Amino acid sequence: MTVQAQAQPRGATGFGRLLGQTDILLAAGIIVIVGMMIIPLPPFLLDMLLTLNLAASVIILLVAVYTQEPLKFSVFPSLLLVTTLFRLALNVSTSRLILLHGDAGEVVHSFGNFVVGGNLVVGLVVFLILVVIQFVVITNGAGRVAEVAARFTLDAMPGKQMAIDADLNAGTIDEVSARERRKAIGQEADFYGAMDGASKFVKGDAVAGIVIILVNIIGGLSIGVLQQGASPGEALHLYANLTVGDGLVSQLPALLISTATGIIVTRAASDTNLGTQMFSQITSQSRPLIIAGVMLALFGLMPGLPKLPFFVIGGASAGAGFLIRRQQTDAAAVAASLVPIAEPEPETLGPQQVIQMMNIDPLEVEVGYGLIPIVDEQAGGGLLRRITMIRRQLALELGIVLPTVRVRDNLQHAPNAYVVKLRGVEIARGTLQPGQFLAMDPGTAEGDVPGIETQEPAFGLPARWITPAYKERAELLGYTVVDAESVLATHLTELVKRFAPDLLSRQDTQNLLENLRNEYPALVEDLVPSTLTVGEVQEVLQNLLSERASTRDLVTISEPLATQGRVSRDIDLLTEYARAALARQISRQYADDSGTLRVITVGPRTEDEIAQSIQQGERGNQVAMAPWAMQRLLGVVSTEVERIAGSGRDPVILCSSRIRLALRRMLERRLPNVTVLSFAEVTSQTAVDAVGNIEVNVGNEALHR
């Protein structure tokens, strides 16, 4: 089929198209802000802009609270400059309206009368207190922290660069990772340096606020007395109240943004937001809460002090402390019964014990203390039984024996978190809500249920945690509802399928061959070691597992290996022979219920150009095209795959054997879930329905550019 440019989607017009021009919007916004200092604004528009200023400050504060690390909000210094300029422009506009008309809109009027009761002295005191809090306390502290952080970051840059170079030379990281780490170091230094300077904006804003309020009072008094003939008291009451209201409505957003500045510069990198981190760390120790509660109760017993506030707050603090201590004690008791560990003293560790400590489990699951009940069988936990079922399921589906899965507690993790490790290296993590159910919308749900928004860990689907009270309702509405154990078991199953090649060791391959020898001794003797080594058979099986082809039918796999292994020891070629022998299994695996295999074909011209571009590399046959040609081909394939996937079908690409493996390796990074089959892997009894076609002319010259 001919490749044509897609029409622009309808969603790309209107508001969405406007949002795509953010650079133009920002430039126009800054020009408008500067224009506000010159052009008079009507009171209604000024009310809207003052409200926008307050809303923007609240949003910035909340973003700072939920930011997990400062560099994820690296635009904050520039944003601080823009908001400060916007706030000063509003001060100029309100001052102009106050002095010209004695009116600055409803927002300023409300702050001057309702907030401080129309009392000039109270308003001035509140304003000065806000300025002192902002200028003396928050801004000075944040500026000092930013200055020290910038200095330390710059001093540490040479050492960090040397560490990156050392890891690169040792082969621990590749060039791409090294480049990203160097970029992160530079961004960190630039950020703290910019924050050191940006904190001066806040200081200047506070000083400008004091000067503006004094100028407005003096100017208003002069205009009222000298130009309008009012008495000094009347003029002071009118203009001073409005000026104080203007000062309060400006300083409140300034205080919020100053607080956001302090949060950003004092924030350390973390995997959680500020609220979760503060709560978990404060409540990690029960003793301070108990002691504080007792002290408050003692204060309440002192004569002259009100008893109710001290007793209520003290009792709540002590009660929370005892509750946390009880939970920690129970969790520790369950953990001790679940994984009894008796480590010898360092002096008694002999060579044999040290060697045993060096052993790494092939697969392990670490859980926080809040998830121990789903593991402990005495407490009704069924995770270990689920793992046994997973081992049986994978043996039937993939033909591999899942090694022992070590489940242990780790109090360093969050209470409801779990971490899956492959040979000691973390490969996935997630969070569960014990006692609750995960409700997932398969696309046919007809309503909504209250719960905690989350993401299903195995497939990344949007979901929510619901209480048992809403389980039946969610099922009636069409949601797929599973318990916490099933969520973890499903996630573990998908991880094992994904990393099955890494789990299949040489010893596992030897065990499979020895088991096969019991029934087919001639086949095994002809295969190992006469034709291939155990390691070469292992590589073939790993290649099959990497594309989720089952190795259960080891007899069918071994037959072509024993025959073709005498001609070639090319692992990729032997894998293709094995896949061809498994044609019946593979066809059935990807066919629908009616036995029809619905595929995306590759046009002859495209197939020829791919075949001509195949070169032998370190990882076997690879497609070697010019970058622009590669991107064009990937774009066409992605379009077809997305179209097929949107119709509810699993995308399967069908091509000739000469390009199958190279095409699969080209697509595996960008389209990892796409299956690529060759004609040799489709039986003659399988009906094939071509639902798409890939045809793109990249030009033969692209192969050598």
Side-chain angles (χ1 to χ4, degrees):
M1 86 180 161
T2 307
V3 180
Q4 298 179 354
Q6 295 185 350
Q8 188 178 16
R10 297 180 179 179
T13 61
F15 184 68
R17 191 173 180 181
L18 182 64
L19 291 180
Q21 305 294 329
T22 53
D23 53 343
I24 300 177
L25 293 176
L26 178 60
I30 295 175
I31 294 174
V32 169
I33 291 173
V34 176
M36 289 168 52
M37 298 182 182
I38 305 172
I39 302 173
L41 300 178
F44 173 76
L45 180 58
L46 189 60
D47 287 342
M48 297 294 293
L49 294 176
L50 290 172
T51 306
L52 175 62
N53 182 36
L54 182 61
S57 62
V58 173
I59 293 173
I60 292 173
L61 177 61
L62 294 177
V63 171
V65 170
Y66 282 97
T67 298
Q68 296 180 358
E69 55 183 272
L71 287 181
K72 291 185 177 180
F73 201 11
S74 59
V75 75
F76 185 79
S78 300
L79 187 61
L80 188 62
L81 171 61
V82 175
T83 54
T84 302
L85 182 63
F86 182 48
R87 194 161 52 250
L88 293 175
L90 290 176
N91 280 333
V92 174
S93 298
T94 52
S95 299
R96 182 187 295 110
L97 286 179
I98 291 172
L99 297 178
L100 287 177
H101 307 290
D103 182 22
E106 293 295 329
V107 175
V108 173
H109 179 76
S110 298
F111 270 81
N113 290 276
F114 178 75
V115 177
V116 297
N119 193 312
L120 176 62
V121 178
V122 175
L124 287 174
V125 171
V126 172
F127 173 78
L128 291 176
I129 291 174
L130 291 177
V131 171
V132 169
I133 294 174
Q134 176 189 350
F135 183 71
V136 179
V137 180
I138 300 177
T139 304
N140 276 345
R144 180 58 178 167
V145 172
E147 180 183 355
V148 174
R151 187 179 303 169
F152 285 175
T153 302
L154 290 174
D155 292 342
M157 281 188 67
K160 293 180 179 179
Q161 295 285 0
M162 292 176 63
I164 295 173
D165 294 337
D167 291 343
L168 181 61
N169 294 331
T172 308
I173 59 176
D174 55 13
E175 183 64 33
V176 177
S177 301
R179 192 180 301 110
E180 292 177 351
R181 289 172 59 176
R182 292 191 186 99
K183 183 180 179 181
I185 293 174
Q187 289 177 342
E188 185 181 9
D190 295 340
F191 173 77
Y192 285 109
M195 286 300 303
D196 183 26
S199 60
K200 306 300 189 296
F201 298 150
V202 184
K203 291 183 180 180
D205 182 41
V207 175
I210 298 175
V211 174
I212 289 173
I213 196 171
L214 292 176
V215 170
N216 284 350
I217 291 176
I218 297 173
L221 188 62
S222 301
I223 292 175
V225 175
L226 300 179
Q227 296 184 6
Q228 299 180 359
S231 63
E234 294 176 349
L236 185 64
H237 181 269
L238 174 62
Y239 291 99
N241 280 341
L242 292 175
T243 300
V244 170
D246 177 30
L248 293 175
V249 80
S250 299
Q251 285 306 310
L252 182 59
L255 180 61
L256 294 177
I257 293 180
S258 299
T259 306
T261 304
I263 292 175
I264 286 293
V265 298
T266 57
R267 185 84 166 100
S270 175
D271 295 332
T272 59
N273 57 63
L274 180 61
T276 303
Q277 190 178 18
M278 290 181 64
F279 182 80
S280 62
Q281 294 185 11
I282 291 175
T283 58
S284 62
Q285 301 273 342
S286 60
R287 186 173 298 175
L289 295 174
I290 297 174
I291 295 175
V294 173
M295 291 182 62
L296 288 174
L298 293 176
F299 277 122
L301 296 175
M302 297 179 63
L305 292 179
K307 295 182 176 10
L308 182 62
F310 287 96
F311 285 161
V312 171
I313 303 300
S317 177
F322 282 113
L323 181 61
I324 293 172
R325 173 174 289 186
R326 182 178 179 181
Q327 291 179 347
Q328 291 177 346
T329 303
D330 295 343
V334 175
S337 63
L338 179 64
V339 186
I341 299 176
E343 294 187 0
E345 296 294 329
E347 293 81 2
T348 64
L349 287 177
Q352 189 64 31
Q353 287 81 9
V354 174
I355 292 175
Q356 292 178 357
M357 293 176 60
M358 294 173 60
N359 293 335
I360 298 178
D361 296 313
L363 195 65
E364 59 181 320
V365 180
E366 295 181 352
V367 298
Y369 68 84
L371 300 183
I372 292 178
I374 73 173
V375 181
D376 187 12
E377 294 185 350
Q378 297 180 356
L383 181 61
L384 299 181
R385 293 192 301 272
R386 296 288 184 96
I387 292 177
T388 302
M389 296 173 61
I390 292 173
R391 181 176 287 108
R392 190 176 298 127
Q393 174 188 348
L394 293 174
L396 295 176
E397 290 186 9
L398 298 181
I400 64 172
V401 179
L402 181 65
T404 301
V405 181
R406 181 85 60 182
V407 182
R408 66 180 78 209
D409 68 297
N410 191 336
L411 298 181
Q412 295 182 352
H413 298 317
N416 295 338
Y418 66 89
V419 175
V420 182
K421 293 184 177 181
L422 176 64
R423 305 195 188 280
V425 180
E426 178 182 331
I427 58 175
R429 65 170 56 221
T431 303
L432 305 177
Q433 297 294 333
Q436 298 189 18
F437 294 88
L438 188 69
M440 296 168 289
D441 184 4
T444 58
E446 298 178 351
D448 196 7
V449 290
I452 304 173
E453 296 289 342
T454 185
Q455 191 177 54
E456 196 274 331
F459 304 101
L461 302 175
R464 60 183 60 192
W465 289 104
I466 61 175
T467 60
Y470 292 100
K471 178 177 180 294
E472 185 176 357
R473 175 183 172 185
E475 291 175 342
L476 292 175
L477 292 175
Y479 286 88
T480 302
V481 183
V482 294
D483 57 18
E485 292 179 5
S486 300
V487 174
L488 178 53
T490 303
H491 194 190
L492 184 61
T493 302
E494 291 302 316
L495 289 174
V496 172
K497 291 180 179 180
R498 178 182 175 186
F499 292 95
D502 301 308
L503 290 171
L504 182 66
S505 64
R506 189 164 300 191
Q507 185 60 50
D508 295 332
T509 306
Q510 179 67 42
N511 295 337
L512 292 174
L513 292 174
E514 290 298 328
N515 183 63
L516 183 64
R517 189 189 299 272
N518 296 330
E519 297 185 11
Y520 300 90
L523 174 60
V524 176
E525 291 176 2
D526 197 26
L527 176 62
V528 178
S530 302
T531 304
L532 299 175
T533 64
V534 176
E536 290 171 331
V537 176
Q538 176 198 4
E539 292 184 51
V540 173
L541 297 181
Q542 287 176 330
N543 287 344
L544 294 174
L545 292 172
S546 66
E547 298 189 53
R548 299 205 174 184
S550 176
T551 60
R552 183 184 177 185
D553 191 359
L554 196 55
V555 176
T556 302
I557 296 174
S558 301
E559 291 283 358
L561 296 184
T563 303
Q564 301 297 333
R566 301 180 183 277
V567 180
S568 173
R569 301 175 75 96
D570 187 341
I571 302 300
D572 290 342
L573 184 60
L574 294 176
T575 303
E576 294 302 301
Y577 285 129
R579 289 181 61 90
L582 295 172
R584 188 182 304 103
Q585 169 190 309
I586 294 176
S587 298
R588 182 64 267 179
Q589 179 179 352
Y590 296 104
D592 58 16
D593 296 336
S594 64
T596 302
L597 184 64
R598 307 188 187 279
V599 300
I600 304 172
T601 59
V602 181
R605 179 182 296 178
T606 303
E607 187 165 301
D608 290 339
E609 293 180 352
I610 294 175
Q612 295 177 27
S613 68
I614 295 177
Q615 295 182 3
Q616 184 70 28
E618 296 180 356
R619 295 183 59 226
N621 293 335
Q622 303 282 341
V623 177
M625 288 185 178
W628 65 267
M630 181 78 72
Q631 291 298 323
R632 184 177 178 185
L633 179 59
L634 289 174
V636 174
V637 176
S638 300
T639 301
E640 279 297 295
V641 169
E642 292 174 359
R643 183 179 66 83
I644 300 302
S647 62
R649 303 188 185 99
D650 294 330
V652 176
I653 298 177
L654 185 63
C655 61
S656 65
S657 302
R658 60 176 180 164
I659 69 165
R660 193 207 70 84
L661 184 58
L663 181 61
R664 175 71 187 102
R665 287 172 174 170
M666 183 184 71
L667 300 177
E668 61 183 354
R669 290 186 177 273
R670 184 166 176 177
L671 302 169
N673 298 322
V674 175
T675 301
V676 183
L677 303 180
S678 69
F679 295 108
E681 299 165 11
V682 181
T683 63
S684 58
Q685 294 79 22
T686 304
V688 178
D689 181 17
V691 296
N693 186 44
I694 301 171
E695 187 66 271
V696 55
N697 183 17
V698 299
N700 293 332
E701 69 275 7
L703 310 178
H704 310 288
R705 287 185 179 180

